[in-house]
Amino acid sequence: MSTQEQDLSRQLLNGEQVMLELPGMPEFISLARLSAASVGNIIGFPIDDIEDLKVALSEACTNAMQYGCDEYMTYTVTFTLYSDRLIVDVADKGQGCDFEALQEPALNGTQVGGFGLYIIRTLMDEMNIDCSEGAGTVLTMTKLLRPQHGIQ
Amino acid sequence: MLTIDLLNDGRKGCKITGEVDVAVAAPFREALQKAVDSGTEEIYLDLSDMDYIDSTGIGILIDMKKNVMKPGQQFILIHPKRSIAKLFQLTGVDQIFQIAEA
C-alpha cells in the first residue's frame, strides 16, 4: 500500500474495534504488546508513542492478570481506533481494584513495586479505572495522535 | 523471549537480550541474584539489546539494590534504549544505579 493510500485509510478510521481475549497467563502479555504496535502503526503514531503504548498496555495486562483473574480465567483488550486517537480498554472479571496500587509511588529508588498505574498515567494522555466490587475492573486509556505527527 | 549471557569483554556482569516482563521475572531475578552473590562490586548489565522492561523487571532491579546487594555493590546499566531509559527516569532507577553509554 502506498503512503497516500495509508494516509487515506487512516483518515477513514472512525471507531473500528480490535478485540483480544487473553488467558490470564503471563506468556500472553507479549501478544498484547505486538497487537498494540500493529494498531498504533495503523493510526500512524510515531515510534516513541508506540513504545509508550506497549509499555502502558503491558502494565494494564499485568494488573488484570494479577488482580483480576487466575490462569484459568481470561481478560479482554479492546482497541478502538480513530484517525486522531487510540482508546484501549482492558477488562477483567475479578473482584475489583487493588487500591494500594492506585497510590502514587515513591520515585527515589526505595519503592519496589506499585509502578504500574503510575507508568500508565504518565505515558498515556488519559486513564480511567472503573471498578465495582465483584463486577470486575475496566481500565480505559487513551493516546492522542499529536497534530505535528498527523496527516499533512 | 529473554536471553542472559555472561559478558565476554573482561567486565563482570551480563548482557540481557530481549524482553523482561512478568513472564520471565524468575530467570531475570535468578541471573541478577547470581551476579550479586559473586560478590563483585561493579556488576555491568549490558542493556543495548534489551527491547523492553516492565514494572516487574524494574521492581526486581530496585529490590536487588534495596534488599540483596551489599553496601558498595552496584549495577552499571549499559546503553539502555531510549524508551527504557525513559522508564528508568520515571521510576527513579536512574537515581540508584549508574547508567553508562558504553
Side-chain angles (χ1 to χ4, degrees):
Chain A
M1 194 187 279
S2 71
T3 310
Q4 262 183 333
E5 283 170 329
Q6 275 179 341
D7 286 349
L8 184 63
S9 59
R10 194 175 293 158
Q11 281 172 1
L12 295 174
L13 289 173
N14 188 26
E16 280 73 13
Q17 288 195 316
V18 177
M19 292 183 199
L20 286 177
E21 184 170 4
L22 295 166
M25 295 160 74
E27 292 77 9
F28 289 89
I29 293 182
S30 59
L31 187 58
R33 276 202 294 278
L34 284 172
S35 306
S38 293
V39 163
N41 200 35
I42 289 171
I43 294 178
F45 283 113
I47 189 84
D48 284 355
D49 284 0
I50 289 178
E51 288 302 321
D52 289 352
L53 190 57
K54 285 162 65 181
V55 171
L57 178 56
S58 284
E59 297 299 336
C61 290
T62 303
N63 276 356
M65 206 190 64
Q66 289 182 333
Y67 305 114
C69 54
D70 60 34
E71 62 194 278
Y72 304 108
M73 293 168 75
T74 59
Y75 61 96
T76 57
V77 176
T78 306
F79 299 99
T80 307
L81 290 75
Y82 292 92
S83 57
D84 62 348
R85 66 192 186 278
L86 172 66
I87 300 172
V88 189
D89 291 309
V90 179
D92 65 56
K93 301 165 208 139
Q95 293 303 307
C97 293
D98 168 36
F99 286 100
E100 213 169 284
L102 297 174
Q103 311 287 324
E104 200 76 17
L107 301 172
N108 54 7
T110 57
Q111 185 163 331
V112 173
F115 293 117
L117 292 178
Y118 162 75
I119 289 173
I120 298 170
R121 266 199 303 269
T122 307
L123 298 182
M124 301 295 279
D125 292 296
E126 287 171 28
M127 185 194 84
N128 181 57
I129 297 177
D130 184 6
C131 59
S132 44
E133 208 176 322
T137 299
V138 183
L139 187 149
T140 301
M141 50 194 174
T142 303
K143 189 85 177 159
L144 303 174
L145 184 66
R146 306 276 168 220
Q148 63 268 31
H149 300 135
I151 300 151
Q152 303 300 311
Chain B
M1 174 94 182
L2 171 73
T3 57
I4 301 172
D5 303 299
L6 288 178
L7 290 179
N8 55 10
D9 59 2
R11 295 186 288 191
K12 302 276 187 189
C14 41
K15 181 175 175 68
I16 299 163
T17 305
E19 301 189 326
V20 178
D21 68 4
V22 67
V24 296
F28 181 61
R29 177 184 286 279
E30 208 174 293
L32 296 185
Q33 178 83 51
K34 214 169 164 181
V36 171
D37 287 348
S38 72
T40 303
E41 286 210 338
E42 290 191 329
I43 301 163
Y44 291 84
L45 301 181
D46 181 347
L47 308 184
S48 53
D49 287 325
M50 186 164 89
D51 297 318
Y52 174 79
I53 186 165
D54 75 348
S55 65
T56 308
I58 285 172
I60 291 171
L61 282 172
I62 296 173
D63 182 49
M64 285 288 149
K65 180 67 181 172
K66 199 179 164 198
N67 299 318
V68 182
M69 294 174 114
K70 294 193 175 71
Q73 271 193 313
Q74 173 79 298
F75 286 137
I76 298 173
L77 309 175
I78 310 290
H79 201 60
K81 290 186 175 170
R82 197 165 52 180
S83 55
I84 292 172
K86 182 175 169 182
L87 271 185
F88 286 164
Q89 205 175 354
L90 280 180
T91 53
V93 167
D94 63 339
Q95 293 176 42
I96 56 168
F97 296 124
Q98 188 186 332
I99 296 177
E101 276 309 299

